[in-house]
Amino acid sequence: MSVGTTAPGRAQISSRTLRTDRWWVQPVVTVAVLVAFIIYATIRAFWNGDYYAAPYLSPFYSPCLATNCVPGTGEVHIVGGWWALSPALLVLIFPLGFRLTCYYYRKAYYRGFWASPPACAVAEPHGKYTGERRVPLVLNNAHRYFFYIGLIFNVILSYDAILAFRNAEGAWGHAGVGTLVLVANAVLLWLYSLSCHSCRHVIGGRLTHFSKHPVRYRAWTLVSKLNTRHMLFAWASLFGVALADLYVALVASGTIADLSFF
Amino acid sequence: MGYKAHFRVWRGDTDGGGLHDFTVEVNEGEVVLDVIHRLQATQAPDLAVRWNCKAGKCGSCSAEINGRPRLLCMTRMSVFAEDEVVTVTPMRTFPVVRDLVTDVSFNYTKAREVPAFSPPKDLKPGEYRMRQVDVERSQEFRKCIECFLCQNTCHVVRDHEDNKESFSGPRFLMRISELEMHPLDSLEENTGVDRTATAKTQHGLGFCNITKCCTEVCPEHIKITDNALIPLKERVADRSYDPLMRLFRRADKD
């Protein structure tokens, strides 16, 4: 059993922390935002409606792989008529897994949800700590596989953004606010994926001699620059995907009309 | 312009102690260590504090100021309001010797457990040749001044004394990472010991949950988590958790 900072031999100070700044703000904000996103995403995932307003497809429902998808959302229906639930539930597990195992989000939820630790030099409330050595947390080591799958999703969502340059009748040469929203969403998701620590490792970080691999070294250098902003891209892409879905839902439900530029 | 500051300094030893209040003069441009020295000179001549260079390069004066692990010599008094109480305590992860001085021998024990740099057997000293591009990644970690603030703030050992035996802490996992990335290190070829494997099995890398406190407190601004610990975790994943990389590791290692 751990005894924290009051272990025998250490300076006897009873306070959990002597920090005088508002160290609790960051974990509280993190939890509030992530909980809000989880509630919104769960509702929308089970909603099974208002996810397509031609030519815009919500990123929560893309790719739409079930035969119960509304017409126009895709031709590839891997899952047959037996699937009666929302088609979003078939695909959201992958982006969810990517974010759950992400090195940045791990920091965020270990601090925010599990208080392990809540902030630096603030004692955690747990009596025992085993880290990421056991199931389920050891599964975070599968992050690279979710990264690979995430790249496929990025390609699909980029394709959706390109299709948003067609109008509702399928003619090219259209652009509206929805087009901008889907393009921004795709760009943010690419930035988030390419700044990923696993990407950095795979692209060149695992090498010992960069001098033997100049192209990979160059790629690693570029990814390393993006990597310094991984937290920013993690949050921006999270907001981006939620706002893109919200916009499509508002247009699809007739709450607002899409403003068309041309 | 000088002013009178309210300091609370932990005084005591292994038998006990507590925070003592002092009112002490502060002059423009001073750092916390200057004020602690003034306390020694004027009010508490037996106050124990470890210090040396006063320039943030020796790593001796590590302590906690208002609960945050800091170097006493690199913390300017100007960051505090004049009416703010400044609380100074020893590092709370290591056994206290007296007042602000702690016994950091845990770190030396862990340092000895990391095998030294092992050059290729056919090279003699003076014959080492490396390209800058190959060695610069690990050069960042050579900036470490061994203040052990990262070891002190890491919750794995700070909040769990029983983990000290199986966890080496960020400073020494960074050392393993440094040697693992070194273009001439040949420990595995020379002895069969895989540094990355030992990071997991002997040095407890799996305890690290990358909450980045080590990076936050590093006075040298080394990106410990992003550049040392996470790359090391990814290398462990290559060997232990990625079946595809276990097949192709040899081909993608150089």
Side-chain angles (χ1 to χ4, degrees):
Chain A
M1 178 62 109
S2 302
V3 285
T5 47
T6 57
R10 302 193 195 183
Q12 292 304 300
I13 301 168
S14 56
S15 301
R16 185 178 169 213
T17 183
L18 291 170
R19 282 182 64 164
T20 52
D21 59 327
R22 290 184 293 172
W23 56 264
W24 44 269
V25 170
Q26 192 176 36
V28 166
V29 170
T30 301
V31 168
V33 174
L34 288 179
V35 166
F37 178 81
I38 291 166
I39 291 170
Y40 175 80
T42 305
I43 291 170
R44 282 294 292 154
F46 282 92
W47 192 294
N48 198 11
D50 295 336
Y51 57 84
Y52 183 61
Y56 311 129
L57 173 60
S58 161
F60 282 14
Y61 286 78
S62 182
C64 212
L65 298 175
T67 51
N68 64 354
C69 292
V70 297
T73 54
E75 309 303 323
V76 183
H77 294 144
I78 297 172
V79 180
W82 57 270
W83 182 263
L85 299 174
S86 165
L89 300 175
L90 294 169
V91 294
L92 282 183
I93 186 72
F94 299 107
L96 175 68
F98 185 43
R99 288 185 191 263
L100 266 182
T101 59
C102 163
Y103 284 100
Y104 167 67
Y105 282 110
R106 276 146 77 176
K107 171 196 165 189
Y109 63 71
Y110 286 137
R111 283 196 187 195
F113 287 90
W114 194 240
S116 180
C120 302
V122 178
E124 59 180 84
H126 313 291
K128 193 166 175 58
Y129 174 83
T130 56
E132 297 188 326
R133 299 182 307 146
R134 300 176 182 176
V135 176
L137 296 181
V138 74
L139 297 175
N140 279 326
N141 287 296
H143 184 51
R144 60 185 58 179
Y145 283 100
F146 285 107
F147 163 68
Y148 301 142
I149 297 169
L151 291 181
I152 298 170
F153 273 71
N154 287 356
V155 170
I156 294 168
L157 293 175
S158 301
Y159 180 66
D160 288 342
I162 292 168
L163 293 183
F165 285 95
R166 302 187 309 181
N167 62 20
E169 288 73 42
W172 291 98
H174 157 88
V177 173
T179 313
L180 288 183
V181 167
L182 292 190
V183 168
N185 176 53
V187 169
L188 289 173
L189 287 174
W190 276 113
L191 288 171
Y192 173 53
S193 298
L194 293 177
S195 64
C196 157
H197 293 83
S198 286
C199 174
R200 189 182 182 215
H201 177 73
V202 170
I203 208 87
R206 65 161 59 105
L207 298 170
T208 305
H209 297 91
F210 282 145
S211 57
K212 295 180 183 173
H213 307 270
V215 175
R216 290 181 69 180
Y217 173 61
R218 178 74 182 142
W220 178 84
T221 307
L222 293 172
V223 168
S224 295
K225 284 179 183 167
L226 289 176
N227 180 255
T228 60
R229 293 175 175 79
H230 192 50
M231 179 182 81
L232 173 68
F233 296 140
W235 284 116
S237 61
L238 191 78
F239 285 118
V241 76
L243 290 174
D245 174 77
L246 178 64
Y247 185 81
V248 173
L250 291 173
V251 174
S253 62
T255 310
I256 61 172
D258 180 48
L259 178 64
S260 183
F261 304 131
F262 54 83
Chain B
M1 289 292 290
Y3 68 97
K4 298 285 187 185
H6 181 184
F7 263 60
R8 287 198 305 160
V9 181
W10 194 89
R11 302 209 60 192
D13 53 27
T14 49
D15 295 328
L19 291 166
H20 292 237
D21 290 279
F22 297 94
T23 301
V24 58
E25 184 184 331
V26 175
N27 296 314
E28 190 173 350
E30 287 187 330
V31 295
V32 173
L33 183 60
D34 294 325
V35 180
I36 294 292
H37 280 159
R38 183 165 295 116
L39 271 180
Q40 274 185 325
T42 60
Q43 301 178 50
D46 59 341
L47 174 66
V49 57
R50 186 184 281 135
W51 64 281
N52 192 0
C53 75
K54 298 179 80 175
K57 289 297 168 193
C58 73
S60 300
C61 62
S62 301
E64 299 191 11
I65 303 167
N66 283 353
R68 308 188 78 155
R70 311 280 300 255
L71 293 179
L72 294 173
C73 73
M74 296 301 286
T75 307
R76 290 181 175 275
M77 284 303 299
S78 57
V79 303
F80 306 109
E82 291 190 6
D83 59 351
E84 187 174 351
V85 178
V86 179
T87 305
V88 184
T89 68
M91 290 189 283
R92 295 178 67 182
T93 298
F94 309 120
V96 68
V97 176
R98 195 161 73 87
D99 300 340
L100 301 178
V101 177
T102 50
D103 174 4
V104 293
S105 56
F106 161 76
N107 302 289
Y108 303 128
T109 303
K110 294 300 179 184
R112 283 191 291 271
E113 291 172 2
V114 179
F117 171 69
S118 180
K121 281 183 173 167
D122 57 338
L123 288 184
K124 296 183 180 65
E127 296 178 347
Y128 301 167
R129 297 291 180 271
M130 294 163 275
R131 290 183 180 267
Q132 179 60 33
V133 74
D134 291 338
V135 80
E136 65 191 358
R137 249 192 314 179
S138 50
Q139 282 179 332
E140 179 191 5
F141 312 138
R142 302 291 293 183
K143 292 194 299 180
C144 175
I145 59 173
E146 303 221 311
C147 61
F148 304 129
L149 287 176
C150 59
Q151 302 282 91
N152 173 56
T153 200
C154 180
H155 71 110
V156 177
V157 287
R158 182 183 177 92
D159 296 339
H160 305 280
E161 180 75 18
D162 45 347
N163 287 339
K164 278 187 174 172
E165 190 177 330
S166 44
F167 184 63
S168 293
R171 196 277 166 263
F172 299 105
L173 291 168
M174 180 173 77
R175 172 71 175 153
I176 294 169
S177 200
E178 173 195 334
L179 291 167
E180 173 66 26
M181 292 174 183
H182 196 290
L184 282 186
D185 184 70
S186 306
L187 185 72
E188 192 169 0
E189 291 80 354
N190 295 341
T191 66
V193 174
D194 179 0
R195 290 191 190 276
T196 298
T198 62
K200 178 191 171 203
T201 56
Q202 293 175 28
H203 299 280
L205 181 63
F207 278 102
C208 171
N209 67 346
I210 44 151
T211 41
K212 286 199 171 181
C213 288
C214 50
T215 303
E216 277 188 30
V217 301
C218 179
E220 283 293 314
H221 308 294
I222 302 170
K223 303 295 183 199
I224 302 172
T225 317
D226 285 327
N227 291 347
L229 303 186
I230 293 176
L232 197 55
K233 274 181 170 271
E234 285 293 311
R235 288 175 185 228
V236 167
D238 281 349
R239 286 156 175 74
S240 303
Y241 304 111
D242 184 345
L244 289 177
M245 270 317 295
R246 291 179 76 162
L247 290 175
F248 298 114
R249 183 168 76 92
R250 289 289 167 193
D252 202 24
K253 186 169 185 287
D254 284 347

